[in-house]
Amino acid sequence: MKLASVVLVLAMTGTASADVLSIRAEAHGGGAGGVGIAGERKDAAFQNNARGGAYGALVGAEILFIDAWVQHHQYNDGELLGTWTQFMTGVDLEFPVGGGEPIPGAKDGAKSKAKGYIELGLGVGFGVGTDRQVDPPLDNSEVNDKGFLVEGRFGAGANLGSALSIGVSLPVTAGYYFMSDTGTANNTGTHYQAIEAALLVNLRLKIKVK
C-alpha cells in the first residue's frame, strides 16, 4: 500500500516523534460514509446504511511507534443508524509543527514547544457493528456485522497545552465482513467487502507515561 510506504520512509528519516510509552483518549465528532463494493451481500453492507453524522471516542496506548486502540462510533441522521466498535493495532507517526526555537533568556538552551502536529497511521484489526444502541457489556446477540479491516489515517491539529490538542482526522477503512444473523462465517453468502471514510474533529488528551 502507498500509505505503508510513506509511513516507512518517514520513520526512516528520523523526523517523527515517538514516546517510550503514552496513553491517549479522544472524543470524535463529524461525518462518515461508506459502501459495499463486492460480495453477495454488498447491497446490505453495514456501511451502506451507517452514513451521516458520526461521533464517538477512542482510547489507546503507544509504545514507541506501535499503537493499540479501541474505538467506538455511533452514526446518526436524526435517529440512531448503527454503532461500530473496532479493536486495532498498528503504526502511528507524529510530526511536530512549529516551535523548536530557542527561548530568549533560557540558560539551559530550552526550545519552544511544538504548536501543532501532523499524524500518519496505519492499522489492522477486527470490528463489530450493531443496528441498535449497545447495551454494555456488548453481547454477540447485539452484533449484526463483523469483520477484519485495515485503516489508513491522516490527521493534523493544534496543541492547546502539554497534553491537550484539537485537530481533524481522515480515516479510510477497507475490510472483509460477514453478517452475524444470516448463517455461519463459513457461508460466503453472508460475506461482503466494503470501504468507508470519515472526516472527524477530535479533542485529544495524550499523556506521556515515560
Side-chain angles (χ1 to χ4, degrees):
M1 295 179 63
K2 291 184 178 180
L3 179 60
S5 300
V6 172
V7 169
L8 179 60
V9 170
L10 290 173
M12 293 176 64
T13 67
T15 59
S17 63
D19 305 319
V20 175
L21 174 62
S22 65
I23 57 175
R24 62 175 171 147
E26 298 179 6
H28 296 165
V35 62
I37 58 173
E40 293 189 36
R41 300 307 299 270
K42 68 176 183 178
D43 293 334
F46 175 89
Q47 291 77 5
N48 290 347
N49 300 316
R51 300 179 179 179
Y55 56 93
L58 176 154
V59 293
E62 181 178 353
I63 301 176
L64 296 178
F65 293 110
I66 305 301
D67 204 11
W69 70 96
V70 179
Q71 176 179 298
H72 176 77
H73 279 167
Q74 301 199 155
Y75 301 86
N76 196 302
D77 67 350
E79 63 180 25
L80 183 68
L81 299 174
T83 75
W84 185 261
T85 305
Q86 59 190 42
F87 308 86
M88 306 288 290
T89 186
V91 178
D92 181 80
L93 301 178
E94 187 170 309
F95 305 87
V97 176
E101 299 179 356
I103 299 176
K107 296 181 179 180
D108 57 358
K111 297 182 179 181
S112 60
K113 294 185 178 180
K115 297 179 180 179
Y117 66 89
I118 293 175
E119 181 184 31
L120 291 175
L122 182 68
V124 295
F126 183 78
V128 295
T130 77
D131 63 0
R132 72 200 79 173
Q133 184 65 58
V134 173
D135 183 16
L138 181 63
D139 185 88
N140 191 57
S141 64
E142 300 178 75
V143 175
N144 300 100
D145 298 71
K146 59 183 69 173
F148 300 93
L149 57 142
V150 57
E151 179 182 279
R153 183 178 68 257
F154 170 80
N159 294 328
L160 303 178
S162 60
L164 189 65
S165 62
I166 187 169
V168 295
S169 63
L170 176 64
V172 179
T173 303
Y176 191 98
Y177 308 93
F178 52 93
M179 297 183 175
S180 301
D181 59 353
T182 54
T184 68
N186 295 325
N187 177 10
T188 58
T190 71
H191 297 192
Y192 63 90
Q193 295 90 60
I195 57 174
E196 182 186 45
L199 181 61
L200 303 169
V201 175
N202 61 75
L203 183 65
R204 183 182 73 172
L205 177 67
K206 185 175 183 179
I207 300 174
K208 298 180 181 180
V209 179
K210 291 184 180 180

